[in-house]
Amino acid sequence: MTDRDCMQLALELASRGRGKTSPNPMVGAVLVKDQRIIAKGFHQKFGGPHAEIMALKKAGIKAKGATLYVTLEPCFHYGKTPPCVDAIIKSGVKKVVVAMKDPNPLTKGKSIFKLRRFGIGVKMGILEKESALLNESFIKFITKKMPFVIAKTAQTLDGKIATEKGQSQWITSFKTRQFSKILRNEFDAVLVGINTVLLDNPYLNAVGRKKIKKVVLDSSLQISSEANLFKSTHPTNCIIAVTKKADEKKIEHFRKKGVDVIICPSKNKQISLKWLLRKLASKGIANLLIEGGAKVIGSALKEKCVDKMRIFIAPKIMGDQAAMSSIQGIRVSHVSKAIRLKDIYCKKIGQDLFLEGYL
């Protein structure tokens, strides 16, 4: 087994924590001794034991003299759990192979220094890019105090999401919609505009037991307390972003129910998304999915708030200029100034296409 083989396994283990560890990172650990894997672990949920601790506990006294492979530098500080670096030193591990430094200033490089100070060998940078990609949300959240944002839309081949009269159900297939819904489980929160709520009345639930936060941009507080998104969840999981235009009595009405109403500054007569995202990050939201509508996605792109796009494309053509486009509000004067995606990933879901790319 090579270092890369062992680290690849650790990364695969880490990915099992997707959507469960935030705002902490996904981390995997593998203990190897005499060319044999003696224990494995991964961070399963926020507040739970870290990957290294799980592996060390499984190995017990066998950990002495072993090599520990871990996808992220072991933590140095006290959080929900004690520092992993101290447990590693105490275990008698002789070498630690780390994919990447922890970007958290509370740890960054400190655990590596401490391990070496106690005579433990440290090797860095094995599958570093892969580790950074796995935890791209955590890295942005911890370094910029902003959530990692993905905007998602479902459209026809000619970029339409609804007819001229607003009829939109359904652009994509049932299989695609189920796949899209499952992807919500990766996120701390999902965001939509008030028009999406008024037209589609979505539930915005994740799959299974996960309780995702639901954020609505609603400057004038038009939303009804009977809207579907308030159902099948606790009111504290619902956030309504308003401006000073919102009626104070309605704000108080929702707050008494337990709904978090955030009064935001406005920019060009709209809620300042950058301000709101920073506020959401302060509430522990490390990653966010924007599901619509077209003007919301357009505003987010215009304010440069989006890190990645997910586009579902159905093999259909509306061919009507008056039909609603998937993204609105971005005025491009020349093709060369169009927003471009990079590092494109594409796959088929039945007859539909799924396309993903970074801004």
Side-chain angles (χ1 to χ4, degrees):
M1 286 188 299
T2 66
D3 286 345
R4 289 180 66 88
D5 291 335
C6 295
M7 192 62 77
Q8 183 60 49
L9 175 57
L11 284 167
E12 289 167 7
L13 288 165
S15 68
R16 294 184 190 178
R18 192 180 299 279
K20 301 169 187 172
T21 65
S22 186
N24 281 353
M26 292 174 273
V27 182
V30 175
L31 269 168
V32 176
K33 191 173 184 179
D34 299 326
Q35 287 294 301
R36 287 194 315 106
I37 294 170
I38 59 171
K40 298 179 287 188
F42 71 97
H43 188 29
Q44 297 183 2
K45 63 178 181 178
F46 176 68
H50 290 188
E52 305 95 313
I53 303 304
M54 293 192 74
L56 290 171
K57 279 188 176 180
K58 287 176 185 176
I61 59 172
K62 292 180 183 178
K64 190 173 183 179
T67 297
L68 173 66
Y69 291 85
V70 62
T71 57
L72 189 70
E73 179 182 3
C75 64
F76 185 82
H77 61 288
Y78 278 88
K80 294 281 183 181
T81 59
C84 289
V85 66
D86 294 340
I88 293 168
I89 293 166
K90 190 176 178 181
S91 73
V93 163
K94 70 172 183 180
K95 184 179 178 182
V96 180
V97 181
V98 181
M100 65 173 286
K101 278 185 182 180
D102 188 339
N104 189 338
L106 295 174
T107 290
K108 193 175 183 180
K110 294 175 184 176
S111 289
I112 294 164
F113 178 80
K114 189 169 185 177
L115 288 169
R116 285 175 173 156
R117 188 158 56 87
F118 276 83
I120 297 170
V122 179
K123 186 174 182 180
M124 295 292 301
I126 304 297
L127 299 184
E128 183 177 6
K129 287 182 180 178
E130 289 82 352
S131 179
L133 182 63
L134 181 70
N135 279 310
E136 58 190 2
S137 294
F138 169 73
I139 292 169
K140 183 183 178 186
F141 174 72
I142 208 71
T143 58
K144 298 188 177 180
K145 308 300 180 189
M146 291 281 277
F148 188 87
V149 178
I150 296 181
K152 168 245 164 182
T153 187
Q155 63 181 52
T156 60
L157 284 171
D158 54 341
K160 305 299 181 182
I161 59 170
T163 64
E164 181 182 359
K165 295 182 179 179
Q167 197 274 322
S168 62
Q169 297 179 346
W170 297 100
I171 297 290
T172 53
S173 67
F174 176 78
K175 187 176 181 180
T176 295
R177 296 197 304 276
Q178 288 301 106
F179 175 76
S180 174
K181 194 173 180 181
I182 289 169
L183 289 179
R184 279 186 194 154
N185 284 39
E186 298 177 12
F187 297 88
D188 297 330
V190 58
L191 180 148
V192 297
I194 184 59
N195 288 337
T196 296
V197 176
L198 297 176
L199 287 170
D200 299 337
N201 198 18
Y203 285 89
L204 302 178
N205 292 327
V207 175
R209 294 183 179 182
K210 173 152 184 177
K211 297 299 180 185
I212 194 169
K213 298 277 187 182
K214 305 172 185 183
V215 185
V216 181
L217 302 182
D218 187 5
S219 298
S220 304
L221 198 50
Q222 301 175 63
I223 195 169
S224 164
S225 57
E226 299 301 313
N228 284 339
L229 65 88
F230 295 117
K231 299 171 183 176
S232 303
T233 193
H234 195 273
T236 54
N237 287 324
C238 300
I239 299 170
I240 308 175
V242 303
T243 64
K244 291 179 181 178
K245 290 190 295 183
D247 184 88
E248 289 184 11
K249 287 184 179 178
K250 286 190 75 176
I251 290 174
E252 192 59 31
H253 167 75
F254 279 104
R255 283 179 173 169
K256 280 183 178 178
K257 286 179 173 287
V259 176
D260 188 2
V261 182
I262 301 173
I263 302 172
C264 309
S266 58
K267 184 178 181 181
N268 300 324
K269 297 182 180 180
Q270 293 179 322
I271 288 168
S272 171
L273 279 174
K274 276 193 176 176
W275 185 93
L276 175 61
L277 290 175
R278 201 169 291 282
K279 186 73 173 178
L280 294 176
S282 73
K283 293 175 178 286
I285 293 175
N287 48 63
L288 175 82
L289 176 66
I290 298 178
E291 285 206 357
K295 289 180 180 177
V296 171
I297 294 175
S299 295
L301 287 168
K302 206 169 182 180
E303 283 196 51
K304 297 183 178 179
C305 294
V306 181
D307 298 288
K308 187 189 283 188
M309 288 289 301
R310 283 179 175 168
I311 305 170
F312 295 89
I313 305 171
K316 300 172 183 176
I317 297 171
M318 287 194 182
D320 187 348
Q321 189 176 357
M324 294 173 64
S325 296
S326 60
I327 298 170
Q328 296 177 17
I330 301 172
R331 296 182 178 179
V332 177
S333 58
H334 194 276
V335 174
S336 63
K337 296 184 183 294
I339 294 171
R340 297 180 67 90
L341 300 184
K342 61 182 181 179
D343 300 331
I344 301 297
Y345 167 79
C346 189
K347 69 177 279 187
K348 278 188 75 176
I349 306 171
Q351 293 300 305
D352 297 334
L353 283 177
F354 170 60
L355 187 145
E356 182 178 79
Y358 291 87
L359 272 296

